[in-house]
Coordinates of all heavy atoms in Angstrom, one line a residue:
E111 N 48.6 166.8 34.0 CA 49.2 167.2 32.8 C 49.6 168.7 32.7 O 50.6 169.1 32.1 CB 48.3 166.9 31.6 CG 48.1 165.4 31.3 CD 47.2 165.2 30.2 OE1 46.9 166.1 29.4 OE2 46.6 164.1 30.2
A112 N 48.8 169.5 33.4 CA 49.0 171.0 33.4 C 50.0 171.4 34.4 O 50.3 172.6 34.5 CB 47.7 171.7 33.5
G113 N 50.5 170.5 35.2 CA 51.5 170.8 36.3 C 50.8 171.4 37.5 O 51.5 172.1 38.3
A114 N 49.6 171.1 37.8 CA 48.9 171.5 39.0 C 48.5 170.4 39.9 O 48.5 169.2 39.4 CB 47.7 172.3 38.6
L115 N 48.3 170.7 41.2 CA 47.8 169.7 42.1 C 46.3 169.8 42.3 O 45.8 171.0 42.3 CB 48.5 169.8 43.5 CG 50.0 169.4 43.5 CD1 50.5 169.7 44.9 CD2 50.2 168.0 43.2
V116 N 45.6 168.8 42.5 CA 44.2 168.8 42.8 C 44.0 168.5 44.3 O 44.5 167.4 44.8 CB 43.3 167.8 42.0 CG1 41.9 167.8 42.4 CG2 43.5 168.2 40.5
S117 N 43.3 169.4 45.0 CA 43.2 169.2 46.5 C 41.7 169.0 46.8 O 40.9 169.7 46.3 CB 43.7 170.4 47.2 OG 43.5 170.3 48.6
T118 N 41.4 168.1 47.7 CA 40.0 167.9 48.2 C 40.0 168.1 49.7 O 41.0 167.8 50.3 CB 39.4 166.5 47.9 OG1 40.3 165.5 48.4 CG2 39.3 166.3 46.4
T119 N 39.0 168.7 50.2 CA 38.9 168.9 51.6 C 37.6 168.5 52.2 O 36.6 168.6 51.6 CB 39.0 170.5 51.9 OG1 40.2 171.0 51.3 CG2 39.1 170.8 53.4
V120 N 37.7 167.8 53.4 CA 36.6 167.5 54.2 C 36.5 168.4 55.4 O 37.4 168.4 56.2 CB 36.6 166.0 54.6 CG1 35.5 165.6 55.5 CG2 36.7 165.0 53.5
G121 N 35.5 169.2 55.5 CA 35.4 170.2 56.5 C 34.0 170.3 57.1 O 33.1 169.4 56.8
T122 N 33.8 171.3 57.9 CA 32.5 171.6 58.5 C 31.9 170.4 59.2 O 30.7 170.0 59.1 CB 31.5 172.2 57.6 OG1 31.1 171.3 56.5 CG2 32.0 173.5 56.9
S123 N 32.7 169.7 60.0 CA 32.3 168.6 60.9 C 32.1 167.3 60.2 O 31.9 166.3 61.0 CB 31.1 169.0 61.7 OG 31.4 170.1 62.5
Q124 N 32.2 167.1 58.9 CA 32.1 165.8 58.3 C 33.3 164.9 58.7 O 33.1 163.7 58.6 CB 32.0 165.9 56.8 CG 30.7 166.4 56.3 CD 30.8 167.9 56.0 OE1 31.7 168.5 56.4 NE2 29.7 168.4 55.4
E125 N 34.4 165.5 59.1 CA 35.5 164.7 59.5 C 35.2 163.9 60.8 O 36.0 163.0 61.1 CB 36.8 165.5 59.6 CG 36.7 166.5 60.7 CD 36.2 167.8 60.2 OE1 35.7 167.9 59.1 OE2 36.2 168.8 61.0
G126 N 34.2 164.1 61.4 CA 33.8 163.4 62.6 C 32.7 162.3 62.3 O 32.1 161.8 63.2
T127 N 32.5 162.0 61.1 CA 31.4 161.1 60.7 C 31.8 159.7 60.9 O 32.9 159.4 61.3 CB 31.0 161.4 59.2 OG1 29.8 160.7 58.9 CG2 32.1 160.9 58.3
D128 N 30.9 158.8 60.6 CA 31.2 157.3 60.8 C 32.1 156.8 59.7 O 32.4 157.4 58.7 CB 29.8 156.6 60.7 CG 29.2 156.7 59.4 OD1 28.6 157.7 59.1 OD2 29.2 155.7 58.6
K129 N 32.6 155.6 60.0 CA 33.6 154.9 59.1 C 33.2 154.8 57.7 O 33.9 155.2 56.8 CB 34.0 153.6 59.7 CG 34.9 152.8 58.9 CD 35.2 151.4 59.5 CE 36.1 150.5 58.7 NZ 36.3 149.2 59.3
A130 N 32.0 154.3 57.4 CA 31.5 154.1 56.1 C 31.4 155.4 55.3 O 31.8 155.5 54.1 CB 30.2 153.4 56.1
T131 N 31.0 156.5 55.9 CA 30.9 157.8 55.2 C 32.2 158.3 54.9 O 32.5 158.8 53.8 CB 30.1 158.7 56.1 OG1 28.8 158.2 56.3 CG2 29.9 160.1 55.4
I132 N 33.2 158.3 55.8 CA 34.5 158.9 55.5 C 35.2 158.1 54.5 O 35.9 158.6 53.6 CB 35.4 159.0 56.8 CG1 36.5 160.1 56.6 CG2 35.9 157.8 57.3 CD1 36.0 161.5 56.3
Q133 N 35.0 156.7 54.5 CA 35.6 155.9 53.4 C 35.0 156.2 52.1 O 35.7 156.3 51.1 CB 35.5 154.5 53.8 CG 36.5 154.1 54.9 CD 36.4 152.6 55.3 OE1 35.4 151.9 55.1 NE2 37.5 152.1 55.8
S134 N 33.7 156.4 52.0 CA 33.0 156.8 50.8 C 33.5 158.1 50.3 O 33.8 158.3 49.0 CB 31.5 156.8 51.1 OG 30.9 157.3 49.9
I135 N 33.7 159.1 51.1 CA 34.2 160.4 50.7 C 35.7 160.3 50.2 O 36.1 160.9 49.2 CB 34.1 161.4 51.9 CG1 32.6 161.7 52.2 CG2 34.9 162.7 51.5 CD1 32.5 162.5 53.5
A136 N 36.5 159.5 50.9 CA 37.9 159.3 50.5 C 38.0 158.6 49.2 O 38.8 159.0 48.3 CB 38.6 158.5 51.6
L137 N 37.1 157.6 49.0 CA 37.2 157.0 47.6 C 36.7 157.9 46.5 O 37.2 157.8 45.4 CB 36.3 155.7 47.7 CG 37.0 154.6 48.5 CD1 36.0 153.4 48.7 CD2 38.3 154.1 47.9
A138 N 35.7 158.7 46.8 CA 35.3 159.7 45.8 C 36.4 160.6 45.4 O 36.5 161.0 44.2 CB 34.0 160.5 46.3
A139 N 37.2 161.0 46.4 CA 38.3 161.9 46.1 C 39.3 161.2 45.2 O 39.9 161.8 44.4 CB 38.9 162.4 47.4
K140 N 39.6 159.9 45.6 CA 40.5 159.1 44.8 C 40.0 158.9 43.3 O 40.8 159.0 42.4 CB 40.7 157.7 45.4 CG 41.8 156.9 44.7 CD 42.1 155.6 45.5 CE 43.2 154.8 44.9 NZ 43.5 153.7 45.6
R141 N 38.7 158.7 43.2 CA 38.1 158.6 41.8 C 38.3 159.9 41.0 O 38.4 159.9 39.8 CB 36.7 158.2 41.9 CG 36.5 156.7 42.2 CD 35.0 156.3 41.9 NE 34.1 157.0 42.8 CZ 33.8 156.5 44.1 NH1 34.3 155.4 44.6 NH2 32.9 157.2 44.8
A142 N 38.2 161.0 41.8 CA 38.4 162.3 41.1 C 39.8 162.6 40.8 O 40.1 163.7 40.3 CB 37.8 163.4 42.0
R143 N 40.7 161.7 41.2 CA 42.2 161.8 41.0 C 42.8 162.9 41.8 O 43.7 163.6 41.3 CB 42.5 161.9 39.5 CG 42.0 160.7 38.7 CD 42.3 160.7 37.3 NE 43.8 161.0 37.1 CZ 44.5 160.2 36.4 NH1 44.1 159.1 35.9 NH2 45.8 160.4 36.3
A144 N 42.3 163.2 43.0 CA 42.9 164.2 43.8 C 44.3 163.8 44.2 O 44.6 162.7 44.6 CB 42.0 164.4 45.1
D145 N 45.1 164.8 44.3 CA 46.5 164.7 44.8 C 46.6 164.8 46.3 O 47.5 164.2 46.9 CB 47.5 165.7 44.1 CG 47.4 165.5 42.6 OD1 47.8 164.4 42.1 OD2 47.1 166.4 41.9
V146 N 45.8 165.6 46.8 CA 45.8 165.9 48.3 C 44.4 165.7 48.8 O 43.4 166.1 48.3 CB 46.2 167.4 48.5 CG1 46.2 167.8 50.0 CG2 47.5 167.7 47.9
F147 N 44.3 165.0 49.9 CA 43.1 164.7 50.7 C 43.2 165.3 52.0 O 44.0 164.7 52.9 CB 42.8 163.2 50.7 CG 41.5 162.9 51.3 CD1 40.3 163.2 50.7 CD2 41.4 162.2 52.5 CE1 39.1 162.9 51.3 CE2 40.3 161.9 53.2 CZ 39.1 162.2 52.6
E148 N 42.6 166.4 52.3 CA 42.7 167.1 53.6 C 41.5 166.8 54.5 O 40.3 166.9 54.0 CB 42.9 168.6 53.4 CG 42.9 169.3 54.7 CD 42.9 170.9 54.4 OE1 43.0 171.3 53.3 OE2 42.8 171.6 55.4
L149 N 41.7 166.5 55.8 CA 40.6 166.4 56.7 C 40.6 167.6 57.6 O 41.8 168.0 58.1 CB 40.8 165.1 57.6 CG 40.6 163.8 56.8 CD1 41.1 162.6 57.6 CD2 39.1 163.6 56.5
G150 N 39.5 168.2 57.9 CA 39.4 169.4 58.7 C 39.8 169.2 60.1 O 40.2 168.2 60.6
D151 N 39.6 170.3 60.9 CA 40.1 170.3 62.3 C 39.0 170.3 63.4 O 39.2 170.7 64.5 CB 41.0 171.4 62.5 CG 40.3 172.8 62.3 OD1 39.2 172.7 61.9 OD2 41.0 173.8 62.5
A152 N 37.8 169.7 63.1 CA 36.7 169.8 64.1 C 36.8 168.6 65.1 O 35.9 168.5 65.9 CB 35.4 169.8 63.4
G153 N 37.8 167.9 65.1 CA 37.9 166.7 65.9 C 38.6 167.0 67.3 O 38.3 168.0 67.9
V154 N 39.6 166.2 67.6 CA 40.3 166.3 68.9 C 41.4 167.4 68.8 O 42.3 167.2 68.0 CB 40.9 164.9 69.3 CG1 41.6 165.0 70.6 CG2 39.8 163.9 69.3
A155 N 41.3 168.4 69.7 CA 42.4 169.3 69.8 C 42.9 169.9 68.5 O 44.1 170.0 68.3 CB 43.6 168.7 70.6
G156 N 42.0 170.3 67.6 CA 42.4 171.0 66.4 C 42.9 170.0 65.3 O 43.5 170.4 64.4
M157 N 42.5 168.8 65.4 CA 42.8 167.8 64.4 C 41.7 166.8 64.2 O 40.9 166.7 65.1 CB 44.1 167.0 64.7 CG 44.1 166.2 65.9 SD 45.6 165.3 66.2 CE 45.1 163.6 65.6
P158 N 41.6 166.1 63.1 CA 40.5 165.1 63.0 C 40.7 164.0 64.0 O 41.8 163.8 64.5 CB 40.7 164.6 61.6 CG 41.6 165.5 60.9 CD 42.4 166.2 61.9
V159 N 39.7 163.3 64.3 CA 39.7 162.1 65.2 C 40.7 161.1 64.5 O 40.6 160.8 63.3 CB 38.4 161.5 65.4 CG1 38.4 160.2 66.3 CG2 37.4 162.5 66.0
P160 N 41.7 160.6 65.3 CA 42.7 159.7 64.6 C 42.1 158.5 63.9 O 42.7 158.1 62.8 CB 43.6 159.3 65.8 CG 43.5 160.4 66.8 CD 42.1 160.9 66.6
T161 N 41.0 158.0 64.4 CA 40.4 156.8 63.6 C 39.9 157.3 62.3 O 39.8 156.5 61.4 CB 39.3 156.2 64.5 OG1 38.4 157.2 64.9 CG2 39.9 155.5 65.7
T162 N 39.5 158.5 62.2 CA 39.0 159.0 60.9 C 40.1 159.1 59.9 O 40.0 158.7 58.7 CB 38.4 160.4 61.0 OG1 37.3 160.4 62.0 CG2 37.9 161.0 59.7
I163 N 41.3 159.5 60.3 CA 42.5 159.6 59.5 C 42.8 158.1 59.0 O 43.1 157.9 57.9 CB 43.7 160.2 60.2 CG1 43.4 161.6 60.6 CG2 45.0 160.1 59.3 CD1 44.4 162.3 61.5
Y164 N 42.8 157.2 60.0 CA 43.1 155.8 59.7 C 42.2 155.2 58.7 O 42.6 154.6 57.8 CB 43.1 155.1 61.1 CG 43.2 153.6 61.0 CD1 44.4 153.0 60.7 CD2 42.1 152.8 61.1 CE1 44.5 151.6 60.7 CE2 42.2 151.4 61.0 CZ 43.4 150.8 60.8 OH 43.5 149.5 60.7
N165 N 40.9 155.4 58.9 CA 39.9 154.9 58.0 C 39.9 155.5 56.6 O 39.8 154.7 55.6 CB 38.5 155.1 58.6 CG 38.2 154.3 59.8 OD1 38.7 153.2 59.9 ND2 37.4 154.8 60.8
A166 N 40.2 156.7 56.5 CA 40.4 157.3 55.2 C 41.7 156.7 54.5 O 41.6 156.4 53.3 CB 40.6 158.8 55.3
S167 N 42.7 156.5 55.2 CA 43.9 156.0 54.7 C 43.7 154.5 54.2 O 44.2 154.2 53.1 CB 45.1 156.0 55.7 OG 46.3 155.5 55.2
I168 N 43.0 153.8 55.0 CA 42.7 152.4 54.6 C 41.9 152.4 53.3 O 42.2 151.6 52.4 CB 41.9 151.6 55.7 CG1 42.8 151.5 56.9 CG2 41.4 150.3 55.2 CD1 43.6 150.3 57.0
A169 N 41.0 153.3 53.2 CA 40.1 153.3 51.9 C 41.0 153.7 50.7 O 40.8 153.2 49.7 CB 39.0 154.3 52.1
I170 N 41.9 154.7 50.9 CA 42.6 155.2 49.8 C 43.8 154.3 49.4 O 44.1 154.0 48.2 CB 43.1 156.7 50.1 CG1 41.9 157.6 50.2 CG2 44.1 157.1 49.0 CD1 42.3 159.0 50.7
R171 N 44.6 153.9 50.4 CA 45.8 153.2 50.2 C 45.8 151.7 50.4 O 46.6 151.0 49.9 CB 46.9 153.7 51.2 CG 47.1 155.2 51.1 CD 48.2 155.5 52.1 NE 48.3 157.0 52.2 CZ 48.9 157.6 53.1 NH1 49.6 157.0 54.0 NH2 49.0 158.9 53.2
G172 N 44.8 151.3 51.2 CA 44.8 149.9 51.6 C 45.5 149.6 52.9 O 46.2 150.5 53.4
R173 N 45.2 148.5 53.5 CA 45.7 148.2 54.9 C 47.2 148.1 55.0 O 47.8 148.7 55.8 CB 45.0 146.9 55.4 CG 45.2 146.6 56.8 CD 44.5 145.4 57.3 NE 43.1 145.4 56.9 CZ 42.1 146.0 57.5 NH1 42.3 146.7 58.6 NH2 40.9 146.0 57.1
R174 N 47.8 147.3 54.1 CA 49.2 147.1 54.2 C 50.0 148.4 54.0 O 50.9 148.7 54.8 CB 49.7 146.1 53.1 CG 51.2 145.7 53.2 CD 51.6 144.8 52.0 NE 51.4 145.5 50.7 CZ 52.3 146.4 50.2 NH1 53.3 146.7 50.8 NH2 52.1 146.9 49.0
H175 N 49.7 149.2 53.0 CA 50.4 150.5 52.8 C 50.2 151.4 54.0 O 51.1 152.1 54.4 CB 49.9 151.1 51.5 CG 50.7 152.4 51.2 ND1 52.0 152.2 50.7 CD2 50.4 153.7 51.3 CE1 52.5 153.5 50.5 NE2 51.5 154.4 50.8
T176 N 49.0 151.4 54.5 CA 48.7 152.3 55.7 C 49.5 151.9 56.9 O 50.1 152.7 57.6 CB 47.2 152.2 56.1 OG1 46.4 152.8 55.0 CG2 46.9 153.0 57.4
F177 N 49.6 150.6 57.2 CA 50.5 150.1 58.3 C 51.9 150.4 58.1 O 52.6 150.8 59.0 CB 50.3 148.6 58.5 CG 49.0 148.2 59.0 CD1 48.5 146.9 58.9 CD2 48.1 149.1 59.6 CE1 47.3 146.4 59.4 CE2 46.9 148.7 60.1 CZ 46.5 147.4 60.0
V178 N 52.4 150.3 56.8 CA 53.8 150.6 56.5 C 54.1 152.1 56.8 O 55.0 152.5 57.5 CB 54.2 150.3 55.1 CG1 55.5 150.9 54.7 CG2 54.2 148.8 54.9
R179 N 53.1 153.0 56.4 CA 53.3 154.4 56.6 C 53.2 154.8 58.1 O 53.9 155.7 58.5 CB 52.2 155.2 55.8 CG 52.3 155.0 54.3 CD 53.5 155.6 53.7 NE 53.4 157.0 53.8 CZ 54.4 157.8 53.3 NH1 55.4 157.3 52.7 NH2 54.3 159.1 53.5
M180 N 52.4 154.1 58.8 CA 52.3 154.3 60.3 C 53.5 153.9 61.0 O 53.9 154.6 62.0 CB 51.1 153.6 60.8 CG 49.7 154.1 60.4 SD 48.3 153.1 60.8 CE 48.5 152.9 62.6
A181 N 54.2 152.8 60.5 CA 55.4 152.3 61.2 C 56.6 153.2 61.0 O 57.6 153.1 61.7 CB 55.6 150.9 60.8
R182 N 56.7 153.9 59.8 CA 57.8 154.7 59.5 C 57.8 155.9 60.4 O 56.8 156.6 60.7 CB 57.8 155.2 58.1 CG 58.0 154.0 57.1 CD 58.1 154.6 55.7 NE 58.4 153.5 54.8 CZ 58.2 153.6 53.5 NH1 57.8 154.7 52.9 NH2 58.5 152.6 52.7
G183 N 59.0 156.3 60.8 CA 59.2 157.6 61.5 C 59.1 158.8 60.6 O 59.3 158.7 59.4
A184 N 58.8 159.9 61.2 CA 58.8 161.2 60.5 C 60.1 161.6 60.0 O 60.3 162.3 59.0 CB 58.1 162.3 61.3
N185 N 61.2 161.3 60.8 CA 62.6 161.6 60.5 C 63.3 160.5 59.7 O 63.9 159.7 60.3 CB 63.3 162.0 61.7 CG 62.7 163.1 62.5 OD1 62.2 164.0 61.9 ND2 62.7 162.9 63.8
R186 N 63.1 160.5 58.4 CA 63.7 159.5 57.6 C 64.9 160.1 56.8 O 65.0 161.1 56.4 CB 62.8 158.9 56.6 CG 61.7 158.1 57.2 CD 60.8 157.5 56.2 NE 59.5 158.2 56.4 CZ 58.7 158.6 55.4 NH1 59.1 158.5 54.2 NH2 57.6 159.2 55.7

């Protein structure tokens, strides 16, 4: 309502945690009505482990929406 974005960040190595924990954190951010969900860079080559991104997306958006987003190209 105030015209601002709410950002949540997972950092300090929690982005390398197990599937259930990252999904729980992602759902907590969604319940808090966060507009941005950021995963830190303690994973592979300065980015989170790809399965962590995938598991967070499934928790927040659902499987179908995640697959659609994965199938779309970056250049639309």
